[in-house]
């Protein structure tokens, strides 16, 4: 029997006008080698994982899969606030795989050689940054944060010249599309109004097909509202998880609402809203605390591109867009508060909850507490003992009773944390909820495991030296982030403070 690899590639993006892309074959490489292959993801896409994991040539770009029609997409972007023409400088889209459930996914190779958009770059990628994207995107997926995913990383067998000579690699990225805010920025500057309409209609078809209703009076305004809503929900999830993207330029913001382009990103260890990891972000533009604002800034650049479609009078179009941006803020705050309430086990809503939450965050900041571990360990202060014979003082599960807690949290000898715990416990008692359910709610919203910077670095260093076991173990552990796993949830060692990430281009 001839093995079937399961490719079912379609090419709707390539049916858009030529301004949107260039035909571009990936570069041929002689000796590709599989490094990591995502079996579960392959199967969910309807691909034959057993066959494909033995076919590194397909994921290096040397051998095109059945029905592929490779293109590089054109886009621009506001990078640190400044407009730039970009495009896929080192990526090709092989096509759109239709999964067995009917969903459509872009299959993109990243690091597969020069394209018409390469500018001064070499079109290549090195092993460590591609594995980094693989690890963090998969971790995000298991944390329940919308994201592009990673199907494979292969070594090309060729060198990549950076500060030193590195091993070349190609990542296969799976996305519900690669339409970016930057794609709209590009068309609004270099395309016609017809092109803009086509892009908006195409985006609606890919992501918001319920808007394809002739009865809707202003479907482009509704499209903008949907995109903004997706971003609001996404950024709230980033903030709640302590994820810092690092380079939120408009070319790195997907219309789908998936996290995209894992460059200098990282998870925050100690809680500090000013945290910046990216070595290129010297002004802190994309610091943790600025992410909601930067998403709004990017949305305003999307709105600017869409203005001609929103209303025939520009002033009116601007007003409409402004209203949508303020709805973005409402949606963001609502999602963030709902998420924070769940993190501290609250099922009901009270006006004073906002203060309770901000006091906790202040304590985290003041005592430089680990963000992930503190929230995760909070549920160990439940259930609250209701035994009426106990004195008021001993009813409080004090820090001394939970002897490992101060050590795990790195708590100082100050009473303020204990006072906050007491206040919070009183609030928990008010909601008349089974406390076991409250604990479960908290555990579902507070991961025990995030990709700790130092662990990721160790996995990458080992992989560069040919040992993949560290990474395989890390990936395995990160696939159940809400289950208890002591080793990985320990606070980071001081080594990872002052951690810097590099674009790796
Ligand atoms: P990124 O920082 O990955 O979002 O990339 C920003 C822009 O630079 C995109 O247009 C990329 O395609 C391009 N780019 C990044 N690295 C390279 C490279 N090595 N060769 C060519 N283009 C690149
Ligand atoms: Mg990018």
């Amino acid at each position: 029997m001839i093995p079937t690899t399961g490719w079912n590639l379609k090419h709707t993006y390539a049916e858009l006008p030529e301004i949107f892309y260039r035909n571009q074959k990936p570069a041929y490489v002689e000796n590709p080698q599989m490094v990591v292959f995502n079996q579960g993801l392959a199967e969910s896409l309807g691909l034959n994982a057993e066959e494909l994991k033995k076919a590194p040539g397909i994921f290096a770009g040397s051998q095109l899969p059945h029905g592929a029609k490779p293109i590089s997409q054109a886009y621009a972007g506001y990078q640190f606030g400044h407009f730039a023409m970009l495009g896929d400088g080192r990526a090709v889209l092989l096509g759109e795989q239709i999964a067995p459930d009917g969903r459509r996914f872009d299959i993109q190779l990243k690091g597969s050689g020069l394209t018409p958009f390469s500018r001064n770059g070499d079109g290549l990628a090195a092993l460590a940054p591609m594995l980094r994207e693989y690890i963090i995107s998969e971790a995000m997926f298991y944390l329940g944060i919308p994201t592009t995913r990673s199907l494979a990383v292969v070594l090309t067998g060729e060198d990549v010249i950076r500060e030193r000579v590195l091993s070349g690699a190609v990542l296969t990225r799976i996305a519900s599309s690669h339409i970016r805010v930057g794609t709209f920025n590009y068309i609004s500057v270099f395309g016609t109004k017809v092109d803009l309409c086509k892009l908006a209609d195409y985006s609606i078809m890919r992501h918001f097909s319920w808007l394809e209703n002739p009865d809707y009076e202003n479907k482009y305004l509704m499209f903008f509202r949907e995109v903004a809503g997706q971003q609001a929900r996404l950024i709230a999830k980033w903030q709640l998880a302590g994820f810092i993207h690092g380079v939120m330029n408009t070319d790195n913001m997907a219309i789908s609402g998936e996290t995209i382009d894992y460059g200098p990103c990282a998870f925050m260890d100690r809680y500090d809203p000013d945290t910046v990891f990216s070595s290129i972000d010297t002004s802190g533009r994309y610091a943790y605390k600025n992410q909601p604002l930067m998403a709004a800034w990017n949305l305003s650049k999307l709105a600017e591109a869409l203005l001609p479609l929103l209303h025939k009078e520009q002033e009116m179009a601007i007003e409409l867009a402004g209203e949508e941006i303020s709805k973005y803020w409402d949606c963001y705050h609502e999602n963030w508060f709902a998420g924070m309430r769940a993190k501290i086990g609250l099922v009901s809503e009270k006006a004073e909850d906002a203060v309770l939450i901000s006091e906790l965050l202040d304590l985290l900041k003041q005592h430089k507490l680990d963000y992930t571990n503190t929230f995760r360990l909070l549920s160990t202060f439940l259930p609250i003992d209701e035994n009426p014979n106990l004195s008021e003082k001993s009813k409080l599960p004090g820090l001394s009773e939970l002897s490992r807690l101060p050590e795990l949290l790195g708590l100082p000898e100050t009473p303020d944390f204990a006072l906050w715990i007491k206040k919070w416990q009183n609030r928990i008692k008010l909601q008349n909820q089974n406390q076991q359910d409250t604990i479960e709610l908290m555990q579902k919203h507070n991961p025990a495991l995030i990709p700790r910077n130092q662990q990721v670095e160790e996995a990458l260093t080992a992989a560069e030296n040919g040992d993949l076991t560290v990474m395989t173990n890390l990936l395995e552990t990160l696939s159940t982030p809400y289950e208890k796993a002591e080793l990985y949830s320990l606070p980071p060692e001081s080594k990872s403070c002052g951690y810097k990430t590099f674009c790796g281009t």
Side-chain angles (χ1 to χ4, degrees):
M1 203 176 82
I2 303 165
T4 156
T5 43
W7 292 106
N8 183 13
L9 293 171
K10 303 285 182 246
H11 305 282
T12 56
Y13 200 85
E15 286 161 16
L16 287 169
E18 272 170 33
I19 185 174
F20 284 92
Y21 67 93
R22 302 281 187 284
N23 291 317
Q24 178 61 52
K25 285 206 180 87
Y28 181 83
V29 297
E30 196 69 49
N31 289 311
Q33 197 189 319
M34 189 64 75
V35 179
V36 53
F37 184 76
N38 196 334
Q39 179 124 6
L41 178 58
E43 283 162 7
S44 74
L45 291 167
L47 298 174
N48 184 331
E50 293 307 321
E51 288 300 321
L52 286 173
K53 71 180 171 198
K54 292 180 283 188
I58 289 196
F59 301 99
S62 297
Q63 197 191 329
L64 288 180
H66 179 73
K69 196 172 164 188
I71 60 169
S72 288
Q73 292 172 308
Y75 54 86
Y78 284 87
Q79 299 196 305
F80 291 90
H82 305 287
F83 184 87
M85 178 58 210
L86 302 163
D88 287 332
R90 54 167 173 172
V92 294
L93 178 66
L94 296 176
E96 302 142 23
Q97 171 76 3
I98 310 298
D101 63 5
R103 292 199 295 158
R104 182 182 298 263
F105 293 97
D106 278 8
I107 312 276
Q108 192 201 58
L109 302 181
K110 183 168 168 181
S112 57
L114 290 171
T115 80
F117 306 111
S118 296
R119 294 174 293 158
N120 297 321
D122 57 8
L124 304 176
L127 180 64
M130 295 305 100
L131 288 178
R132 198 164 188 283
E133 170 153 352
Y134 189 108
I135 296 168
I136 301 188
S137 64
E138 286 304 296
M140 294 284 273
F141 172 76
Y142 287 108
L143 283 165
I145 302 175
T147 178
T148 63
R149 294 192 65 189
S150 301
L151 181 60
V153 173
V154 294
L155 278 165
T156 59
E158 295 180 4
D159 289 343
V160 175
I161 315 298
R162 297 289 181 262
E163 296 81 39
R164 57 192 171 100
V165 179
L166 299 168
S167 302
V170 176
L171 169 88
T172 305
R173 178 157 70 183
I174 309 298
S176 67
S177 90
H178 283 85
I179 310 164
R180 304 150 188 268
V181 168
T183 316
F184 282 87
N185 299 146
Y186 165 70
I187 289 300
S188 95
V189 171
F190 298 109
T192 62
K193 191 175 167 187
V194 173
D195 295 325
L196 184 63
C197 248
K198 287 194 167 150
L199 179 58
D201 286 337
Y202 182 79
S203 304
I204 288 172
M205 184 274 284
R206 285 290 291 261
H207 300 297
F208 310 104
S209 55
W210 60 92
L211 296 180
E212 287 174 326
N213 181 338
D215 294 342
Y216 287 143
E217 218 170 87
N218 195 344
K219 73 171 169 179
Y220 298 119
L221 186 68
M222 292 169 83
F223 163 66
F224 181 64
R225 183 180 306 158
E226 293 291 342
V227 174
Q230 297 283 55
Q231 287 304 322
R233 286 182 280 276
L234 177 68
I235 307 298
K237 287 195 166 169
W238 287 3
Q239 300 303 95
L240 292 165
F243 173 76
I244 302 173
H245 183 284
V247 55
M248 288 176 68
N249 296 331
T250 60
D251 49 302
N252 293 338
M253 186 192 261
I255 295 299
S256 64
E258 289 174 346
T259 311
I260 191 169
D261 266 4
Y262 292 87
C265 61
F267 281 77
M268 179 166 60
D269 294 315
R270 288 173 176 179
Y271 179 72
D272 180 354
D274 290 319
T275 306
V276 178
F277 289 119
S278 169
S279 63
I280 55 171
D281 190 4
T282 46
S283 67
R285 180 179 169 95
Y286 299 132
Y288 174 77
K289 68 173 181 195
N290 289 340
Q291 295 191 123
L293 179 64
M294 286 300 116
W297 193 90
N298 289 348
L299 286 169
S300 76
K301 287 293 171 195
L302 174 62
E304 202 176 292
L306 286 171
L307 283 181
L309 306 186
L310 299 183
H311 201 279
K312 57 183 188 307
E313 284 164 38
Q314 198 185 53
E315 238 172 72
M316 198 54 210
I318 291 171
E319 199 179 315
L320 289 171
E323 285 165 12
E324 297 305 324
I325 300 275
S326 73
K327 282 183 203 150
Y328 156 86
W329 280 112
D330 294 343
C331 183
Y332 168 74
H333 288 302
E334 202 179 291
N335 276 273
W336 185 84
F337 266 118
M340 268 295 166
R341 277 199 306 272
K343 278 172 92 70
I344 64 169
L346 303 183
V347 287
S348 58
E349 199 176 333
K350 284 192 180 292
E352 59 269 29
D353 294 345
V355 176
L356 193 66
I357 290 165
S358 78
E359 282 175 354
L360 176 60
L361 292 175
D362 285 347
L363 284 168
L364 258 71
K365 181 172 181 207
Q366 192 187 331
H367 297 305
K368 299 187 166 66
L369 298 182
D370 184 85
Y371 181 75
T372 303
N373 292 353
T374 307
F375 276 100
R376 180 68 183 189
L377 290 166
L378 216 51
S379 69
T380 58
F381 291 93
L382 294 179
I384 306 155
D385 196 344
E386 300 286 355
N387 185 342
N389 297 326
L390 291 176
S391 71
E392 191 57 32
K393 190 160 179 281
S394 55
K395 267 195 245 173
L396 225 187
L399 300 181
S400 56
E401 293 168 66
L402 296 150
S403 58
R404 284 197 67 217
L405 204 61
E407 174 208 325
L408 284 169
L409 289 178
L411 270 178
E413 301 280 316
T414 48
D416 48 4
F417 197 78
L419 283 173
W420 185 89
I421 292 281
K422 188 176 166 104
K423 197 169 161 184
W424 166 69
Q425 288 178 327
N426 288 334
R427 173 68 183 84
I428 290 282
K429 279 191 218 163
L430 280 182
Q431 64 183 12
N432 275 330
Q433 155 103 341
N434 175 327
Q435 291 194 29
Q436 208 48 50
D437 292 347
T438 304
I439 293 172
E440 274 170 34
L441 174 76
M442 292 177 74
Q443 289 183 345
K444 258 194 265 172
H445 285 84
N446 293 305
L449 298 163
I450 51 161
R452 294 281 182 189
N453 304 323
Q454 205 182 317
Q455 288 163 340
V456 173
E457 292 305 318
E458 280 163 10
L460 297 182
T461 304
E464 279 183 312
N465 293 322
D467 172 11
L468 297 173
T469 56
V470 186
M471 182 181 70
T472 312
N473 291 339
L474 180 61
L475 284 169
E476 173 68 29
T477 321
L478 291 172
S479 68
T480 53
Y482 296 98
E483 285 167 27
K484 193 70 190 153
E486 285 293 349
L487 174 68
Y488 284 93
S489 62
L490 287 178
E493 287 171 29
S494 55
K495 249 202 255 174
S496 77
C497 297
Y499 181 72
K500 281 277 165 256
T501 54
F502 300 88
C503 266
T505 53

